[in-house]
Amino acid sequence: MRITDCFLTNPNARPGKTIRPKGVVIHWTANKTSGANAMANRNYFNKPTTIASAHYIVDDRQIIRCLPENEMAYHVGAKSYKQDALNRLSSYPNNCTIGIEMCVNADGRFSEMYRKTVELVSHILKQYGWGVDKLWRHFDVTGKNCPAFFVTNQEALAYFGVTAVMAWENFKKDVQRLLTDDSLVREDALPRCAIQIELPETGALHEGVAYLPLRAVAEGAGGKVEWDPLTKGVKVNGREVTAHNVNGISYTSARELAEALKLQATWDAERKTVILHGNGKRN
Ligand SMILES: [Zn+2]
């Protein structure tokens, strides 16, 4: 993961006040215009008339850091705050939170921006020794509809094909996976060893074919899952697979998934576990 430092020089957006972070607040730029990418947003923050900022802006190509994490940004100020935020953050949450803007420019690849954000967030949580309970939507702090794809069902359905609650839960799960599953992402070791993955959701048998929760299995095996919101297609390790969406979870046949991962898959329904192992011919 690469972070590009491009610190603001606009004192109205970067007051230079030192803070001690207690949490991370997730935003979206709400700007779907082509070209409204991370650098464009950073330049907007740096205009002398702008009194707004965030520590990081993420698009599909880069992560830009606008100011150090221990300096205050103006990303979550409001006339009033939710009680939970007042209790767990402060009476002025700008003074103890790290702000991250997710870009939704029409000419950017949303899934790539999403992946980069997950990486960045897990990197930050690791640094502070925090769990995903330190993650806030802007909405959780002030009630603002931000990021809308984690707040309103209409936007969540458009971007993720699931409800807003589920989309936010999935985001936290994706971050959590990077926090905890390091041991499983040893790709070079995979073909020779068997790994067991406990499933958060169980698989299902349909007309004699075993279907497994795609993301849990693929990512548990160190595979890369990409979701294209435009074609609604899902790729595992660059290979298109047939995904069936049931209650917000994508399922793929065990055979197809194993082929994409170049592994054999055995599903133990009773233990809600998948065992993946190499085909023995690889060395
Ligand atoms: Zn926001």
Side-chain angles (χ1 to χ4, degrees), residues 66-171:
C66 296
L67 66 169
E69 286 170 11
N70 67 349
E71 273 189 38
M72 188 163 74
Y74 293 141
H75 59 103
V76 75
K79 289 204 176 78
S80 64
Y81 301 94
K82 293 195 174 187
Q83 196 57 49
D84 189 37
L86 292 171
N87 294 346
R88 291 169 54 207
L89 294 171
S90 76
S91 59
Y92 182 58
N94 272 331
N95 72 14
C96 59
T97 52
I98 297 164
I100 298 178
E101 290 278 356
M102 299 171 77
C103 290
V104 286
N105 46 308
D107 56 339
R109 293 157 297 163
F110 182 82
S111 58
E112 193 55 32
M113 180 282 299
Y114 179 93
R115 196 181 62 76
K116 279 191 160 55
T117 308
V118 168
E119 267 185 29
L120 171 65
V121 170
S122 86
H123 171 75
I124 293 172
L125 295 187
K126 269 183 200 169
Q127 276 185 323
Y128 290 87
W130 292 344
V132 293
D133 59 315
K134 300 285 195 206
L135 293 182
W136 300 75
R137 295 170 294 181
H138 188 173
F139 169 79
D140 298 320
V141 182
T142 70
K144 186 176 174 178
N145 181 17
C146 174
F149 47 65
F150 290 151
V151 177
T152 69
N153 287 336
Q154 195 190 345
E155 292 283 359
L157 284 167
Y159 280 93
F160 301 105
V162 298
T163 63
V165 167
M166 180 108 22
W168 176 235
E169 285 308 309
N170 285 345
F171 178 80

Side-chain angles (χ1 to χ4, degrees), residues 183-253:
S183 60
L184 293 174
V185 193
R186 289 174 305 157
E187 282 163 276
D188 55 339
L190 281 179
R192 268 169 279 147
C193 70
I195 55 169
Q196 291 197 16
I197 300 167
E198 272 190 40
L199 301 174
E201 308 87 19
T202 187
L205 263 183
H206 183 65
E207 296 183 347
V209 178
Y211 287 89
L212 301 173
L214 165 71
R215 184 174 282 271
V217 175
E219 291 188 349
K224 189 176 157 194
V225 180
E226 290 170 288
W227 152 254
D228 185 341
L230 293 177
T231 65
K232 309 261 190 236
V234 179
K235 281 182 176 172
V236 175
N237 286 350
R239 181 181 175 137
E240 186 106 25
V241 296
T242 318
H244 309 271
N245 193 310
V246 182
N247 296 329
I249 297 159
S250 292
Y251 289 84
T252 300
S253 76

Side-chain angles (χ1 to χ4, degrees), residues 9-22:
T9 54
N10 167 22
N12 290 324
R14 185 184 172 190
K17 185 177 162 17
T18 302
I19 64 167
R20 204 164 61 87
K22 288 185 193 170

